[in-house]
Amino acid sequence: MAQAQLHIVDAEYLKQIEGACKEIRNLLQNNKQFAPIVLRLAFHDAGTYDAKAKTGGPNGSIRNELSNPANNGIKTAIDFCEPVKAKYPKVTYADLYQLAGVVAVEVTGGPIIPFVAGRPDAPDQQDSGALPNPNGDLKHVRDIFYRMGLNDRDIVVLSGAHTLGRAHKDRSGFDGPLSKDPLKFDNSYFVELRMGDTPGLVKFPTDKALLEDPILRRYVQIYAKDEKVFFAHYAQSHKKMSELGFHPPRCPKNA
């Protein structure tokens, strides 16, 4: 499989990143209903990473992977990002999608996530790494996240992103909101998870699986009780996920 070349990050590129960030923020602040699917775009582009094979990850290839059933609905987010790409053409798709995910968390009230630019776009190809199936069991969840090089805390805290958005029958087989306020990033996912089934709210089998293991359940309890801790850990794990397989290039001295 061909490897993407490192992307040069110079002053002009950083200027375009800054412009793209402002553009995405303005778009999402005026259209918050797109924030959940944009965040899903960032997750799914990164989520194909294989830590052992060093393949997949946040490389922009998801735009070539829309035939994957796990990516049903993602085209909405890709189309949302296209005007930003047209306005700031030097920004790679890989950076654009991860930047959009970071901003989606921010504008819905979540933590500020540090963003480092320079992800190269993969050649025209499809990544083969499996994505989480909402009907999966605990073993499935761990298999997927461990393959990515993530750990148990990452599994739980990143699952907290389900506080945003709703389930769609044609995407996950489920239908309904995942939290009482689908456009607010907070710790309600964990609060609701501890309460068991809630009328009107969707809880995936993969969500419920977090309560089956004492290690994972402990993190659920921590985040349900303390939103500040959740935000701090989430920012760390989201950044980690968004940089899987990415080694930030050094900015040229004369940039």
Side-chain angles (χ1 to χ4, degrees), residues 170-203:
D170 61 333
R171 300 176 190 176
S172 64
F174 297 84
D175 185 63
L178 301 174
S179 66
K180 292 180 180 178
D181 190 344
L183 297 181
K184 182 180 180 182
F185 195 100
D186 57 19
N187 70 334
S188 62
Y189 165 85
F190 300 105
V191 175
E192 294 290 345
L193 190 57
R194 293 185 68 199
M195 293 174 64
D197 290 332
T198 305
L201 296 184
V202 171
K203 291 184 175 69

Side-chain angles (χ1 to χ4, degrees), residues 13 30 36 51 55 71 74 76 79 83 115 165 169 179 193 238 250:
Y13 188 78
N30 293 322
T55 58
N71 290 330
I74 289 288
T76 299
D79 290 346
F115 180 82
K169 197 76 174 178
S179 66
L193 190 57
H238 186 119
R250 294 182 178 180

Side-chain angles (χ1 to χ4, degrees), residues 12 39 52 57 60 64 77-78 103 113 127 134 146 154 158 160 168 198 211 230 236 250:
E12 175 58 28
L39 181 57
K52 290 184 179 179
N64 303 317
I78 289 175
V103 176
I113 302 165
D127 290 334
Y146 286 1
D154 296 324
L158 290 174
H168 298 265
T198 305
L211 299 175
F230 166 51
Q236 293 169 4
R250 294 182 178 180

